[in-house]
Amino acid sequence: MSALTDSDLFQKLGLKHPLIVAPMAGGPSSVDLVAAASAAGALGAMGGAYSNAAAIETFAAQVRQRTDKPFSINLFIPHSIPEVAADRVERAIEATAGYRQELELPSPELSPPYEEDFGPQFEAVLRLKPACFSFVFGLLSADHVREAKKAGIPLIGTATTLEEARALEDSGVDAVTLQGFEAGGHRGIFGVKAADPEIGIRDLLAQCAGTIRVPLIAAGGLMTAEDIRAALKAGARAVQMGTAFLACTEAGTSAPYRKKLLETSERRTRTTRAFSGRFARGIENRFMDEMDRKPEGILPFPAQNKFTRDMRGASTAQGSPDFLSLWSGTGKGELWQGKAADLIERLFA
């Protein structure tokens, strides 16, 4: 059982609203968005997975220059991945050669490491002592849990099933984010190669409320005040929302990504491994459509994420959404294009 009771965690955070603005690594969760969300009485969250320790510390310092309110830092739990076999890399290069030619990119060279080193990232978190440390893709090791507790940093894990939520609770987390199948971005499934359980947030909440003793945070397809009320009524202690904030003025969402989000209120999304090698939900686009038809050209996570980075960067530079990971949840409706604080006030009016 966690050291913090339900009320203690949220009292300790001192939030005005039971809302976490989701950690969206890779750009959208800018310093300005994290600071604005926290200053408005929600919990802003840095998506630090793609940042090294120095960048995490710089980001946190910049948030603290803008607000003295609490914020959290989010990282990916690492999984030991063997070096990808040369023949698999060759197949991936072949499958994407036409795209790189179109984007005027050289043939890529791929070698480990495929992701940032978790050890130094976590050490930075311990030094920074954010209001919370949240994580996805599994369990934090017992040693890391102990170190976080010693530093007084509450822990929030991410679950896509009741079994994952139980494992997180047993590991000593202070709260569990229940990520429904509707959620945009990476699915928090523990297993790198595991099938997606595809459980929606309503069913997941129904399974976990009353069973899991630590506070539950509902995530996935939540866009409106009505969605928030329904989740809290169903047993969530707070909600986490990402897509709803992607078009806010402070969000670091790139121009072609923003344009695609705002094209229509009926965003067509699905899950794919095409961009990172792990299931993630985004708006359908050309790269997703074509690569899903040639799965032999998709490398395992996190190698695929590193492998596609040059194409995503070039696509952004050219103002094209064709090769971007356009992460978005299933929630429908017009996206708010004003200040994050105004959206938060509207959601809790």
Side-chain angles (χ1 to χ4, degrees):
M1 184 70 179
S2 160
L4 294 174
T5 65
D6 182 336
S7 58
D8 282 347
L9 176 60
F10 287 93
Q11 277 173 0
K12 180 178 176 178
L13 294 176
L15 303 182
K16 182 179 170 188
H17 305 297
L19 167 69
I20 297 169
V21 176
M24 296 176 282
S29 288
S30 64
V31 167
D32 287 343
L33 181 61
V34 175
S38 291
L43 185 69
M46 176 202 181
Y50 305 133
S51 304
N52 63 25
I56 290 169
E57 296 202 43
T58 300
F59 190 104
Q62 290 173 344
V63 171
R64 284 174 170 155
Q65 282 167 8
R66 289 163 171 77
T67 181
D68 60 357
K69 292 290 193 284
F71 65 96
S72 90
I73 297 173
N74 176 274
L75 295 176
F76 293 167
I77 295 291
H79 292 263
S80 55
I81 306 291
E83 189 168 347
V84 183
D87 62 324
R88 287 204 68 176
V89 176
E90 278 168 30
R91 283 202 298 274
I93 290 172
E94 201 176 307
T96 55
Y99 306 139
R100 286 200 169 82
Q101 197 174 358
E102 192 179 321
L103 293 163
E104 298 179 353
L105 290 168
S107 185
E109 287 178 24
L110 183 70
S111 60
Y114 305 123
E115 60 188 338
E116 292 295 336
D117 188 342
F118 182 79
Q121 288 180 321
F122 186 73
E123 290 296 326
V125 172
L126 292 177
R127 285 193 296 275
L128 289 163
K129 290 188 170 53
C132 282
F133 171 61
S134 67
F135 52 91
V136 294
F137 300 159
L139 300 173
L140 198 57
S141 75
D143 285 348
H144 285 132
V145 169
R146 223 175 359 259
E147 289 178 60
K149 299 276 181 196
K150 200 169 143 190
I153 305 168
L155 300 172
I156 302 175
T158 305
T160 62
T161 64
L162 172 59
E163 293 72 29
E164 289 178 351
R166 277 200 178 113
L168 284 163
E169 181 178 46
D170 292 344
S171 77
V173 300
D174 300 290
V176 174
T177 298
L178 297 178
Q179 189 198 48
F181 186 52
E182 306 91 341
H186 278 104
R187 304 284 292 125
I189 306 161
F190 282 17
V192 178
K193 296 175 181 174
D196 195 321
E198 299 186 5
I199 305 167
I201 188 56
R202 285 176 64 175
D203 289 341
L204 196 50
L205 261 174
Q207 290 170 26
C208 296
T211 304
I212 302 301
R213 300 180 305 276
V214 295
L216 300 174
I217 300 156
L222 309 178
M223 295 285 285
T224 65
E226 189 181 20
D227 293 338
I228 294 171
R229 282 194 295 272
L232 298 178
K233 194 176 174 186
R237 187 69 175 74
V239 297
Q240 180 169 286
M241 299 169 77
T243 304
F245 288 85
L246 280 171
C248 285
T249 50
E250 300 95 339
T253 314
S254 71
Y257 186 177
R258 202 176 277 264
K259 185 169 181 279
K260 193 73 178 171
L261 284 163
L262 297 171
E263 263 177 12
T264 169
S265 59
E266 297 289 309
R267 293 170 290 280
R268 287 184 52 174
T269 69
R270 70 167 190 271
T271 60
T272 182
R273 291 186 191 266
F275 293 99
S276 74
R278 245 188 189 271
F279 282 124
R281 180 178 293 282
I283 298 171
E284 294 177 355
N285 68 354
R286 183 181 151 201
F287 188 74
M288 189 194 291
D289 290 342
E290 293 177 9
M291 286 305 295
D292 283 351
R293 291 199 291 270
K294 42 186 175 183
E296 71 286 348
I298 299 174
L299 298 170
F301 177 88
Q304 179 72 2
N305 191 61
K306 184 177 181 180
F307 180 72
T308 61
R309 195 169 286 150
D310 62 336
M311 290 186 285
R312 286 179 277 132
S315 197
T316 299
Q318 294 179 20
S320 166
D322 285 353
F323 304 95
L324 297 184
S325 45
L326 303 164
W327 302 146
S328 174
T330 61
K332 303 297 181 207
E334 298 295 335
L335 290 176
W336 181 255
Q337 295 183 65
K339 290 190 176 296
D342 294 337
L343 174 56
I344 292 167
E345 286 308 314
R346 283 168 65 101
L347 291 170
F348 292 95

